[in-house]
Every structure is written in C-alpha cells, then in structure tokens.
C-alpha cells in the first residue's frame, strides 16, 4: 500500500524476454516502494533481474522484452499505461537515469555545454541563456572545478570520474524527483567511486529519491537507507539497511554477507553452485538448490514476502 511518503510504487511487476521465438519469465511478481529522500538499493547477482525491474520504470528495456503484469505508480499515474510521448515528459524530467558506463553515455561529437543545454531544453521551457546558467550551476553542484571551462570541453577531454559527474549534473539539471543509478561506479577506480557515492549521498539530502542498482554490499551498507535483495527474478528479502546487516534472515542474504570481506581477517565463504538461467526455470523456492536449510517443501512451493516484527519482509519457509 502506498503511503504519503512514497514517491514511486512497483506493484506485482512481472516481465520476461522472447529468446529464440520462445518467451521466458525473468521477473516474478515484484513489489517495492521508493520513499522520498531515501536511497533504495536493489541488490543481486548479475542476471537476477534487478536492472530489468528498474528500467521498466522508464521503459528502457530491450526490444525482445515484455511486461506481462503489474503497475508502476508515480503519484497517481501508472507509468505502464502511458503512451511514449507522455512518458517522455516524465522520463528525464521527473525520473532521471545515471547509466552504468560514463564512457559511452556522452556523444563524443558535441561539447558538454551543447549536450547539457539540449537536455535541459528538452524538459524545461526557457531560453538558452537560462539553460546555460542551470548547466553551470549543476556542474558546480557536483563539485566540478572550473565549470565554465568544462562546459566548453568535449567528452574525450574528461576523465571517467569527470564524465560521471557530468552525467549526474544532467540528472540534477532536470530537477528530477527520482534518480536511477545503474551500477554508477562500475567503470571507476576505488578513489573516484567513493567521491561519486558521496555525491549521490549529498544529492539525497536535497530531497531526491535514489534507486541504486548494485551487487556491491559494501556500498549498500555505507550509503543505502533501504535494501531489496533479488534472486532469480524475485525479491527474497527487504529491510532497512541496518536491520538487514545486523539481522539477515533469508539464507541467500546470509550467504551474501558471509562472502563480504571484513577487516577482521575472517575467512571468506563462497556460495556453492550458480543461479539457473532463465531458460531453465526452477520450481519452488529459486534458492533451494544452493540452500543449506533446504527442505522438501522448498522444492515445490514459492514463499511470499512475510512481514517480520522488525519491519523486514522475507520469502522463506523459516520465517513464514
């Protein structure tokens, strides 16, 4: 149920892909709410469906994808029912995207100024001079040194970290309420990663909501307010960050945390096996082939997220 603090709600979303003339389900009945001024992390292994789920919000999915059921409510508007021209007014203006690879997200043929101004004018009615001032202010907000000079630069003249800051500035310039950050630090070195994440944290303090797609639990622990753990197209656990790290409940979450490096020198655990591809769906709980707590019922039954006393929700027989 959507509360007054929720800015975005995904309800019973299911989607899949046509592969070799056959349809395969990839995301199953996903539900979660994004609250105002929070960073909500969607965590899982590559191929678990986290990017497909989040990209369905702005309908930036591959051509072979198909949303089979569900709603995505932005306020009172179901984004899945909008025509492309109507969705375009929201995409970029109200919901902005920080893509995964800053190296390929900017057009190498145009200056930063021309690309930023074009983006601003596409979503906001104003003069080019006003758009220039907003572009300049946005670069200042993301702590780019000598922003006037950077506006005149071409993408190849900027470092990877600087390009990512420009992309974040573009998101800010549209004055979006929700910012989707798809693995925003993957292509950056560790020092620049920390700077970009600190920047996203500062943006959150402006009242923006951030959806962070990641597989890095270290980043989640430090920056996220709320976490949804995905496995093979299903959310298996969700909780406030502190609750999840102190009291993980789903076996998959426990196994992920056991594999997280610590400064204590503890031996790292590994999760045996691998997720099944979407072309070979598993009956029952999707994690049961790898789970040390597996029982016969797990092979045949999918468990719904069940509310716990600490406010977390878990999809596991141990917590029903």
């Amino acid at each position: 149920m959507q509360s007054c603090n929720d800015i975005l709600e995904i309800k019973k979303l299911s989607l899949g892909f046509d592969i070799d003339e056959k349809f395969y389900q990839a995301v199953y009945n996903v539900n979660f709410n994004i609250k105002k001024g929070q960073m909500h992390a969607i965590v899982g292994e590559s191929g678990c469906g986290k990017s497909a789920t989040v990209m369905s919000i702005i309908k930036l999915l591959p051509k072979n994808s198909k949303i089979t059921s569900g709603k995505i409510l932005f306020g009172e508007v179901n984004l899945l029912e909008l025509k492309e021209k109507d969705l375009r007014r929201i995409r970029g203006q109200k919901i902005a995207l920080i893509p995964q690879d800053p190296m390929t997200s900017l057009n190498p043929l145009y200056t930063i100024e021309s690309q930023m101004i074009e983006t601003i004018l596409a979503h906001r009615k104003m003069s080019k001079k006003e758009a220039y001032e907003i572009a300049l202010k946005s670069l200042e907000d993301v702590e780019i040194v000598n922003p006037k000079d950077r506006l005149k630069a071409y993408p190849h003249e900027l470092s990877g970290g600087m390009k990512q800051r420009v992309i974040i500035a573009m998101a800010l310039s549209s004055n979006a309420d929700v910012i989707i950050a798809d693995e925003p630090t993957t292509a950056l070195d560790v020092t620049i990663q920390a700077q970009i994440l600190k920047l996203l944290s500062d943006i959150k303090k402006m009242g923006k909501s951030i959806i962070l797609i990641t597989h890095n639990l270290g980043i989640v622990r430090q920056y996220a307010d709320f976490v949804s753990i995905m496995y093979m197209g299903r959310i298996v656990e969700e909780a406030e960050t502190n609750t999840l790290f102190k009291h993980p409940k789903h076996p998959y979450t426990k196994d992920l945390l056991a594999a997280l490096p610590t400064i204590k020198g503890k031996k790292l655990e590994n999760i045996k096996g691998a997720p099944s591809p979407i072309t070979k769906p598993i009956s029952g709980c999707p994690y049961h082939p790898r789970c040390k707590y597996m029982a016969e019922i797990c092979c045949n039954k999918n468990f719904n997220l069940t509310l716990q006393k600490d406010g977390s929700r878990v999809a596991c027989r141990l917590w029903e």
Side-chain angles (χ1 to χ4, degrees):
M1 184 176 179
Q2 195 169 20
S3 74
C4 59
N5 198 36
D6 295 334
I7 192 168
L8 187 72
E9 182 182 13
I10 291 183
K11 299 179 66 174
K12 298 181 179 180
L13 179 71
S14 296
L15 64 90
F17 299 91
D18 291 317
I19 302 174
D20 295 330
E21 299 183 352
K22 189 174 180 181
F23 180 78
Y24 295 97
Q25 197 80 6
V27 173
Y28 299 82
N29 200 35
V30 164
N31 299 271
F32 62 82
N33 294 12
I34 305 299
K35 297 189 180 299
K36 295 177 183 177
Q38 280 198 354
M39 185 182 292
H40 188 128
I42 313 294
V43 181
E45 299 173 65
S46 296
C48 74
K50 56 187 186 295
S51 289
T53 297
V54 175
M55 290 306 167
S56 65
I57 296 170
I58 48 178
K59 289 188 179 178
L60 289 181
L61 292 168
K63 289 183 178 180
N64 66 329
S65 65
K66 186 184 297 181
I67 296 173
T68 55
S69 66
K71 295 180 180 180
I72 300 177
L73 300 176
F74 183 61
E76 300 297 322
V77 179
N78 182 3
L79 299 181
L80 297 183
E81 294 179 347
L82 294 182
K83 295 180 179 179
E84 177 60 27
K85 65 176 182 179
D86 297 319
L87 181 62
R88 203 176 294 129
R89 296 192 186 104
I90 293 175
R91 187 197 296 136
Q93 183 176 2
K94 296 294 184 180
I95 304 174
L97 172 66
I98 300 171
Q100 185 175 126
D101 186 3
M103 308 302 176
T104 58
S105 301
L106 295 168
N107 192 321
L109 301 179
Y110 297 94
T111 63
I112 301 303
E113 178 181 338
S114 63
Q115 294 184 62
M116 289 194 71
I117 288 177
E118 181 183 7
T119 299
I120 294 166
L121 293 179
H123 301 293
R124 303 171 72 175
K125 291 183 178 180
M126 59 181 62
S127 67
K128 280 191 175 182
K129 184 179 179 181
E130 290 172 317
Y132 174 86
E133 293 300 326
I134 289 175
L136 187 62
K137 175 66 165 55
S138 298
L139 292 187
E140 291 171 351
D141 288 341
V142 298
E143 300 176 357
I144 286 183
V145 180
N146 300 324
K148 288 185 178 180
D149 293 336
R150 300 304 180 192
L151 282 173
K152 294 182 177 67
Y154 286 87
H156 73 270
E157 298 178 288
L158 306 180
S159 66
M162 194 75 74
K163 289 176 187 174
Q164 192 66 296
R165 285 175 186 267
V166 168
I167 292 166
I168 294 171
M170 285 183 171
L172 283 178
S173 68
S174 66
N175 201 29
D177 299 311
V178 179
I179 297 175
I180 297 170
D182 183 8
E183 300 274 10
T185 60
T186 296
L188 307 175
D189 63 53
V190 175
T191 304
I192 304 302
Q193 281 184 22
Q195 294 174 4
I196 296 300
L197 289 163
K198 171 64 166 57
L199 179 57
L200 289 175
S201 185
D202 291 341
I203 290 171
K204 183 188 73 174
K205 293 174 184 176
M206 300 177 187
K208 308 295 184 183
S209 301
I210 298 175
I211 305 173
L212 176 66
I213 305 170
T214 185
H215 61 271
N216 190 324
L217 282 168
I219 288 174
V220 171
R221 171 183 273 171
Q222 189 169 357
Y223 295 98
D225 300 293
F226 199 89
V227 190
S228 296
I229 303 288
M230 286 195 76
Y231 186 79
M232 287 184 61
R234 294 176 173 87
I235 292 180
V236 296
E237 184 168 358
E238 58 180 21
E240 291 184 353
T241 303
N242 289 337
T243 300
L244 184 119
F245 278 86
K246 288 180 180 178
H247 304 290
K249 296 176 179 62
H250 196 278
Y252 177 57
T253 308
K254 291 181 177 181
D255 289 345
L256 282 178
L257 293 179
L260 188 65
T262 68
I263 60 174
K264 297 177 182 178
K266 177 178 69 71
K267 181 182 177 181
L268 294 181
E269 303 292 334
N270 68 311
I271 304 177
K272 296 179 181 179
S276 177
I278 63 171
T279 53
K280 295 180 180 179
I282 293 174
S283 61
C285 171
Y287 194 58
H288 83 260
R290 307 172 75 185
C291 181
K292 65 184 78 171
Y293 305 104
M294 189 267 288
E296 185 176 350
I297 190 175
C298 305
C299 304
N300 304 305
K301 181 179 177 181
N302 269 313
F303 300 94
N304 295 320
L305 287 169
T306 304
L307 181 64
Q308 307 300 309
K309 290 181 180 179
D310 60 6
S312 63
R313 293 177 182 272
V314 192
C316 177
R317 71 173 181 87
L318 300 174
W319 298 93
E320 273 205 323

